[in-house]
Amino acid sequence: MPSHNIRLMESAYGAVLFLMLVTASAAQDGCICPMNIRTTCEMESGSCICRVLGSNQRVNCSTLTSKCLLMKAEMYRTPRRFPKPEHAFLDNDGLYDPDCDASGIFKARQCNKTDTCWCVNSAGVRRTDKGDDNMRCSELVRTNWILIELKQKERVDPFLEAEVENSLRQFIQNRYQLRQHFIPAVKYDYPFIQIELKQDLLQKTYRDVDIADVAYYFEKDIKRTSLFHFSNAFNLSVSGEPLDIEEILIYYIDEKPPEFSMKQLTPGIIAVVVVVVLAFITGITMFVFNRWRKTGKYEKVEIKEMGEMKREENA
Ligand SMILES: *[C@@H]1O[C@H](CO)[C@@H](O)[C@H](O)[C@H]1NC(C)=O
Ligand SMILES: *[C@@H]1O[C@H](CO)[C@@H](O)[C@H](O)[C@H]1NC(C)=O
Ligand SMILES: *[C@@H]1O[C@H](CO)[C@@H](O)[C@H](O)[C@H]1NC(C)=O
């Protein structure tokens, strides 16, 4: 029937037109940086250009942004609402407004806007004592090994180790583009999970994401302050069941031992620069109902030498 055909064609045409309109408006409104929410984006001569808040540096939105630029953006994003009480001491270690070089990498020497300076590793973690303006940091020491320790929320049946390993490997590869090669091990001993990331400079091509950036994105995801635009896509699950994490601990290990003075360093463990501890209790359900509340308890951000940690654990 001709009239039928025409109507079919009309509706097909309508559908195509509709799709074209949707696509066109999506392209206009869709100028965003999917892998970094801390950006402002604009169409510039036909392409979507995104710059990081704080530094205004242009970023490639199909890959991770460097931790240095992200930390800078975070400092920029968080204006202090109330003045600091007089004589109050703020333990700012771990989060500071960093100096990044032209490619977004941490500068070896960091200062806190006064004349207090210190040296950091490629993950931006302090690896020397604090000094004054005369402090020299001859090179940026690479963090080539990162251990992420997770504590799973209590549940009746532990998962199978092979399934936890497989899920986390897939997750890290798909979400952060880190090749399997750089994940030598994932261990599971309920309720603890340990993910090992290892990457020497020689193994890393310019297209590879850096393990320090991966750890930072992962930490943010676990704390449910994702840096991705579509954070609802965050779905950490093992064999179809959600994997709820209540604690994350990150160890940064450098190519060279850290240079903290006045400690009796024990050979063998001195190459370990520790630790960012973020203890918090949260869950997907909690998050949905309480998303406006601060569910995360920001416990402590501190750098210690491994021996000191051990002594504290034993105390
Ligand atoms: C810089 O660090 C020193 C020593 O930790 C501290 O006394 C000072 O208040 C810090 N300044 C700022 C602006 O954070
Ligand atoms: C952006 O990153 C992607 C993924 O690593 C890479 O393929 C692409 O070449 C990069 N683009 C630019 C302009 O550097
Ligand atoms: C999360 O992933 C699991 C298994 O991959 C799937 O069954 C579940 O529907 C996903 N949940 C969401 C909210 O996407």
Side-chain angles (χ1 to χ4, degrees):
M1 286 215 188
S3 69
H4 192 130
N5 275 348
I6 284 167
R7 216 169 301 142
L8 208 67
M9 271 175 64
E10 263 172 6
S11 67
Y13 178 72
V16 169
L17 195 67
F18 176 70
L19 273 179
M20 278 166 60
L21 285 173
V22 166
T23 323
S25 74
Q28 262 168 17
D29 302 338
C31 180
I32 52 161
C33 193
M35 298 186 75
N36 184 354
I37 50 169
R38 295 177 189 160
T39 47
T40 49
C41 302
E42 270 175 353
M43 293 301 288
E44 283 177 25
S45 49
S47 38
C48 177
I49 306 296
C50 298
R51 293 172 201 281
V52 194
L53 298 172
S55 62
N56 231 24
Q57 198 151 321
R58 208 176 136 173
V59 283
N60 180 349
C61 290
S62 9
T63 189
L64 304 187
T65 301
S66 73
K67 181 177 175 183
C68 192
L69 294 177
L70 290 170
M71 270 171 62
K72 215 170 173 53
E74 184 166 359
M75 295 306 288
Y76 170 83
R77 207 185 51 134
T78 324
R80 293 264 73 86
R81 184 130 352 139
F82 305 110
K84 187 164 78 81
E86 210 187 344
H87 306 308
F89 174 69
L90 189 62
D91 184 5
N92 244 343
D93 222 344
L95 186 63
Y96 56 94
D97 183 7
D99 282 332
C100 314
D101 76 6
S103 51
I105 309 292
F106 286 97
K107 288 191 178 164
R109 192 178 88 141
Q110 300 287 338
C111 302
N112 74 348
K113 309 280 181 250
T114 57
D115 52 4
T116 307
C117 299
W118 60 90
C119 307
V120 298
N121 57 24
S122 61
V125 177
R126 183 161 70 88
R127 49 169 280 114
T128 62
D129 295 324
K130 289 182 181 173
D132 60 15
D133 223 1
N134 297 319
M135 185 98 194
R136 291 287 161 264
C137 308
S138 54
E139 55 166 347
L140 181 70
V141 176
R142 180 166 173 78
T143 300
N144 61 347
W145 188 20
I146 293 178
L147 292 172
I148 303 175
E149 221 172 87
L150 303 170
K151 183 163 178 263
Q152 185 190 352
K153 256 179 132 173
E154 215 171 304
R155 60 177 274 130
V156 181
D157 303 313
F159 293 118
L160 295 175
E161 178 165 24
E163 287 177 357
V164 170
E165 168 165 7
N166 190 39
S167 302
L168 280 168
R169 281 182 177 284
Q170 288 309 318
F171 182 84
I172 291 170
Q173 173 163 333
N174 296 341
R175 194 164 171 89
Y176 313 112
Q177 305 173 353
L178 186 69
R179 290 192 281 141
Q180 291 299 324
H181 187 64
F182 299 124
I183 316 174
V186 178
K187 293 175 193 151
Y188 180 55
D189 185 359
Y190 172 84
F192 296 103
I193 302 168
Q194 190 192 61
I195 305 168
E196 198 178 333
L197 309 178
K198 218 165 184 180
Q199 189 181 52
D200 288 323
L201 200 55
L202 284 176
Q203 302 172 294
K204 185 176 177 267
T205 70
Y206 81 100
R207 296 187 59 158
D208 276 315
V209 290
D210 194 283
I211 53 172
D213 301 338
V214 172
Y216 192 69
Y217 269 83
F218 187 70
E219 177 194 318
K220 295 287 168 189
D221 272 336
I222 293 292
K223 286 170 70 191
R224 305 212 166 268
T225 51
S226 180
L227 295 161
F228 290 97
H229 243 285
F230 307 105
S231 57
N232 52 349
F234 177 75
N235 183 4
L236 194 50
S237 65
V238 177
S239 355
E241 306 252 351
L243 174 60
D244 289 329
I245 304 298
E246 65 175 29
E247 230 175 271
I248 175 170
L249 188 80
I250 305 178
Y251 298 84
Y252 299 94
I253 301 133
D254 296 349
E255 274 174 347
K256 293 183 180 175
E259 293 163 16
F260 296 110
S261 62
M262 68 196 183
K263 294 205 183 115
Q264 299 79 38
L265 300 180
T266 328
I269 54 173
I270 53 171
V272 184
V273 177
V274 183
V275 162
V276 177
V277 187
L278 306 147
F280 61 98
I281 313 282
T282 181
I284 291 165
T285 344
M286 277 279 288
F287 177 67
V288 170
F289 292 110
N290 279 345
R291 59 195 303 175
W292 65 91
R293 281 193 206 150
K294 198 173 176 217
T295 50
K297 178 165 64 110
Y298 188 66
E299 197 180 65
K300 197 162 198 181
V301 180
E302 203 170 341
I303 301 154
K304 290 177 183 173
E305 175 255 319
M306 197 60 164
E308 195 178 316
M309 289 275 294
K310 282 262 153 41
R311 281 196 295 280
E312 270 181 20
E313 272 170 26
N314 295 341

